[in-house]
């Protein structure tokens, strides 16, 4: 069946950029060819319109990834810099964390203006492996950037993920985890902080396929006037995944009446003996606390920044590497100061 | 030092209406003096403390409030703080995630910067806060906890005075600082307040009870009812109230 779809210039650019691609990139090409870029009509893209966000993309571009040559062994620290030039581009990679190894993976995303970047990682954690995955999606203000990953754990493996996203015209971090239970643990955390005109989308699916899995997820965000945050989290618990303990929390702060935050936490449970919960809370800055701080002499702008920082910092506090943790907090603080 | 003249203030209620609370309040606290304000629940004492310190939603509709020659209504809350105005809150506010030490250092340095003074260094600050914490019997562990989070009612009040000792304001408003304090704590806190009494400093002490005024002897006692000062006198006025209640003043205020 040939597609009768008329492609937008961005879609055509992406199709051209992926001419002759194999593997995941070929799938992306095929999907773009037959369905175009996702719009809000697409179930999984309810609040993020990629076709629209990429409407200034007209030609193929390039995605450059450095750091992939780092050998993966116990104690390894892999630093991937993923950069999208203007235009449509994609790149992908596959990582296998060997049995029993403990590895830190740091990904830094950046994109030029008018980029449509697609980055995909396939990660396998073997028995007893531990992965600390840390994502800084900071530097891509005028572009659409989609980072997706498929992560499969073996029994006794542990995945600890933290993402810090300052958004962009459209920024999406999409994480799909297959969780076998049997001693495996997943901890997904994220923070987004959005100035006006920025959009960040945190989408994740954790699929529990075996018994006794533990999953924690805490995503916190804040959006200024005309910032748009999206959280979509889904836990699937198969019949075979009895005694799963899975908890999801999204908490966000609207810094202005004109901010928009959309959240869809979902549980899809087919087992009967599980402990699963999700929570979602949207709030505003605590005006009483703000006054208290100002009464003590702290200027309004600084008081706001302190309050927002203390609200957002929690997921980042769990970053094991102290230098990285501090670096992330400095990034957050710098953004906050620029915001006010 | 603090001159309030015919002050009218209204607050915005939940349903957006304007409700007059202060209805022509006049008060003059010279430097070096401690004035007490007593008055029934709902008479507007906390409202006065908020309007003086510039809380949002408290609107001055008439009259004036002048602090050391400066019109307070022209200043932001943080500017009033830097000018030396300090409020010990009736209900101190919890600030999750911000350690008390960090908060106080930010506050002190922000005030100093606003006044054109040098910031205190981290070691200087630690020395200062250790000394003041000791004076008030507050542990350093407690100062590492987020501001007021999980503190008991009495501990919060003690912290309010500790903050005052660190910030050394020129003028303190104590809004029911005695409520929630046990007998020993009341003594410690009063000693802290008395340590701040000085010829160049003024204080407004809002309280319901004589027991605080046994420790902090006021120069003048004012009775407030229905948004106004209805009577002023010496320390004996407080003892008279303790014995007789507010009944005879409520009629005068209406
Ligand atoms: N935001 C508000 N909306 C509506 N009414 C308010 C508001 N703030 C204060 N009031 C009312 O104003 C009056 C004065 O309140 P205030 O807190 O100043 O009293 P107070 O003298 O401090 O009382 P207490 O001794 O109980 O502390 C009360 O009747 C109170 O209900
Ligand atoms: Mg009160």
């Amino acid at each position: 069946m040939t597609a009768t779809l008329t492609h937008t210039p961005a879609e055509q650019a992406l199709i051209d950029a992926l001419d002759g691609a194999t593997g995941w990139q070929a799938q992306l090409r095929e999907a773009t060819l037959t369905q175009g870029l996702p719009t809000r009509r697409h179930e999984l893209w309810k609040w993020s319109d990629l076709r629209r966000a990429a409407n200034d993309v007209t030609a193929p571009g390039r995605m450059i990834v450095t750091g992939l040559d780092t050998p993966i062994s116990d104690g390894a620290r892999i630093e991937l810099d993923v950069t999208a030039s203007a235009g449509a581009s994609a790149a992908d990679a596959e990582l296998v964390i060997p049995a029993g190894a403990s590895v830190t993976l740091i990904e830094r995303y950046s994109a030029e203006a008018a980029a449509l970047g697609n980055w995909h990682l396939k990660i396998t954690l073997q028995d007893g492996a531990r992965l600390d995955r840390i994502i800084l999606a900071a530097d891509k203000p005028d572009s659409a950037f989609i980072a997706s990953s498929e992560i499969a754990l073996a029994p006794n493996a542990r995945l600890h993920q933290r993402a810090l996203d300052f958004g962009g015209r459209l920024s999406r971090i999409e994480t799909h985890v297959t969780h076998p239970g049997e001693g495996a643990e997943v901890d997904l955390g994220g923070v987004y902080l959005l100035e006006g005109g920025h959009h960040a989308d945190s989408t994740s699916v954790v699929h529990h396929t075996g018994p006794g899995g533990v999953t924690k997820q805490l995503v916190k965000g804040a959006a200024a006037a005309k910032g748009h945050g999206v959280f979509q989290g889904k836990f699937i618990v198969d019949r075979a995944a009895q005694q799963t303990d899975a908890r999801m929390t999204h908490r966000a702060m609207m810094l202005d009446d004109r901010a928009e935050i959309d959240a869809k936490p979902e549980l899809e449970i087919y087992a009967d003996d599980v402990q699963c919960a999700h929570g979602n809370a949207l709030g505003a800055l605590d005006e009483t606390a703000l006054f208290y701080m100002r009464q003590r002499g702290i200027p309004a702008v600084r008081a706001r920044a302190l309050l927002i920082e203390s609200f957002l910092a929690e997921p980042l506090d769990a970053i094991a590497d102290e230098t990285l943790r501090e670096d992330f907090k400095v990034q957050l603080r710098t953004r906050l100061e620029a915001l006010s | 030092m603090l001159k309030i003249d015919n002050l009218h203030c209204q607050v915005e209620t939940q349903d957006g209406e304007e409700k007059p609370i202060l209805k022509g309040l006049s008060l003059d606290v010279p430097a070096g003096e401690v004035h007490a304000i007593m008055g029934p629940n709902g008479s507007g004492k906390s409202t006065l403390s908020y309007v003086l310190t510039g809380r949002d939603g408290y609107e001055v509709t008439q009259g004036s409030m002048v602090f050391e020659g400066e019109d307070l209504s022209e200043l932001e809350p943080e500017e009033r703080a830097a000018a030396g105005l300090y409020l010990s809150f009736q209900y101190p506010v919890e600030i999750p995630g911000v350690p008390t030490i960090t908060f106080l250092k930010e506050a002190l340095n922000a005030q100093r910067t606003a006044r054109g003074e040098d910031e205190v260094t981290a070691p200087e600050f630690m020395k200062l806060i250790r000394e003041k914490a000791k004076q008030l019997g507050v542990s350093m562990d407690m100062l590492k906890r987020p501001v007021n989070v999980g503190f008991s009612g009495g501990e919060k009040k003690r912290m309010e005075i500790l903050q005052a000792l660190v910030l050394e304001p020129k003028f303190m408003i104590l809004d029911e600082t005695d409520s929630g304090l046990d007998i020993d704590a009341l003594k410690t806190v009063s000693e802290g307040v008395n340590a701040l009494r000085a010829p160049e400093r003024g204080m407004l002490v809002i309280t319901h009870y004589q027991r605080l005024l046994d420790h902090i002897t006021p120069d003048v006692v004012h009775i407030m009812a229905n948004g106004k000062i209805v009577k002023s006198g010496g320390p004996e006025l407080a003892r008279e109230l303790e014995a007789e209640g507010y009944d005879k003043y409520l009629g005068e205020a209406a």
Side-chain angles (χ1 to χ4, degrees), chain A residues 250-262:
Chain A
H250 171 249
R251 292 183 63 201
M253 213 181 236
M254 321 254 291
L255 304 177
D256 188 283
D257 292 344
R258 290 161 297 159
E260 183 177 346
I261 290 171
D262 297 294

Side-chain angles (χ1 to χ4, degrees), chain A residues 286-303 306-307 309-311 313, chain B residues 53-55 76-78 81 85-87 89 93 95-98 103 106-107 110-111 148 160 163:
Chain A
D286 181 350
E287 290 295 329
T288 312
L290 196 62
F291 172 65
Y292 186 79
M293 297 172 92
R294 295 177 74 188
Q295 203 309 298
R296 295 301 184 248
I298 302 174
V301 168
R302 178 75 191 129
L306 263 176
L307 283 176
E309 183 187 329
S310 66
F311 171 75
Chain B
T53 49
R55 187 170 185 158
E76 296 294 332
E78 54 268 39
L85 215 51
Y86 181 93
L87 171 60
F89 283 64
V93 180
I95 309 177
V98 182
F103 172 74
E106 283 272 344
Q111 289 198 17
N148 291 323
E160 292 292 283
Q163 292 184 38

Side-chain angles (χ1 to χ4, degrees), chain A residues 23-254:
Chain A
W24 178 80
Q25 293 185 43
Q27 287 172 28
L28 177 62
R29 184 176 189 275
E30 185 60 21
T32 311
L33 201 57
T34 56
Q35 298 161 44
L37 290 170
T39 66
R40 298 173 76 142
R41 250 172 294 171
H42 196 297
E43 172 67 21
L44 280 173
W45 291 78
K46 219 168 161 221
W47 293 294
S48 297
D49 192 328
L50 186 56
R51 187 182 291 173
R52 211 164 116 194
N55 65 6
D56 59 350
V57 174
T58 51
R62 254 158 51 88
M63 179 169 276
I64 295 165
V65 183
T66 61
L68 278 170
D69 48 356
T70 314
I72 307 178
S73 56
D74 188 34
R77 187 181 164 103
I78 307 164
E79 303 206 24
L80 301 183
D81 283 333
V82 182
T83 310
S85 74
S89 63
D92 72 308
E94 193 171 336
L95 305 177
V96 177
I97 316 298
S102 181
V103 169
T104 303
L105 168 65
I106 302 152
E107 293 166 64
R108 293 191 178 85
Y109 306 151
S110 56
E112 291 179 9
L116 164 59
N118 298 273
W119 163 239
H120 183 78
L121 256 186
K122 184 171 177 201
I123 304 175
T124 306
L125 279 78
Q126 294 182 341
D127 200 308
R130 174 178 174 122
L131 177 65
D132 279 301
R133 183 184 185 209
I134 294 153
I135 300 165
L136 180 61
D139 193 16
K140 43 185 180 32
D142 301 306
S143 60
F145 193 99
I146 313 301
S148 59
S149 58
E150 272 169 78
I151 307 176
L153 284 75
N156 305 311
R158 282 198 296 160
L159 168 68
H160 193 275
Q161 174 173 308
R162 288 294 180 270
L164 177 58
D165 195 346
F166 295 134
R169 189 178 295 164
L170 194 161
S171 173
R172 169 148 154 147
I173 298 176
E174 192 180 315
T175 312
H176 296 260
V177 180
T178 307
H179 190 324
E182 317 233 22
E185 285 180 24
V186 171
D187 186 332
L188 297 180
V191 171
Y192 58 87
L193 172 64
L194 306 171
E195 61 186 65
H198 279 194
H199 179 115
D201 173 336
S202 161
T203 292
S204 58
V205 179
V206 181
H207 187 169
H208 302 81
T209 59
V214 176
T215 299
K216 273 189 284 189
Q217 182 171 28
L218 174 62
V219 174
K220 284 190 152 189
K226 305 218 169 129
H228 186 184
V230 176
F231 170 80
Q232 304 185 103
K234 187 174 193 174
F235 289 169
I236 304 171
V237 182
D238 287 353
R239 245 187 107 77
Q242 298 293 354
Q243 266 114 43
T244 293
D245 183 335
R247 287 157 208 280
M248 177 195 302
T249 307
H250 171 249
R251 292 183 63 201
M253 213 181 236
M254 321 254 291

Side-chain angles (χ1 to χ4, degrees), chain B residues 108-121 124:
Chain B
L108 180 61
N109 280 334
Q111 289 198 17
R112 293 183 67 95
T113 305
R115 292 193 292 258
E117 300 163 9
D118 285 342
E119 293 196 353
V120 296
T121 63
E124 283 166 356

